[in-house]
Amino acid sequence: PLSGVSLSAQPPGGQVALGDRLVLSCAVAAGTGPLSFSWHRGGSRAPLGTGPRLELLHVGVNDSGHYQCRASNGDSVAESDPLNVTVL
């Protein structure tokens, strides 16, 4: 099974200035098989993106909130802890 899904942000801590770029990266510590990723904000079901990275080029006020990365290898699904993104 998958485990150790972690989320990191650039800039660190998820504090980003209005109009700047935000890059979120998802990593999996343990698990085998072809991995698929999806990104979610505020518990919404519709994914914001797929892939190990989520890039927001021009962050707006509506982009603040809690982001989560979900990783799956077909057999199991694991989620990262939520990261709170603050738009300054």
Side-chain angles (χ1 to χ4, degrees), residues 1-2 32-36 71-78:
L2 296 177
T32 56
L35 294 174
S36 62
S72 169
N73 64 357
D75 294 324
S76 66
V77 176

Side-chain angles (χ1 to χ4, degrees), residues 19-85:
D20 276 4
R21 188 176 76 140
L22 172 71
V23 180
L24 301 176
S25 303
C26 192
V28 177
T32 56
L35 294 174
S36 62
F37 297 92
S38 63
W39 292 89
H40 303 270
R41 185 179 75 218
S44 73
R45 292 199 171 279
L48 299 168
T50 55
R53 280 161 59 101
L54 178 69
E55 205 164 322
L56 304 176
L57 292 179
H58 301 287
V59 171
V61 282
N62 296 335
D63 291 320
S64 60
H66 289 85
Y67 286 76
Q68 260 184 313
C69 152
R70 188 175 295 159
S72 169
N73 64 357
D75 294 324
S76 66
V77 176
E79 289 186 345
S80 69
D81 287 334
L83 173 83
N84 189 29
V85 169

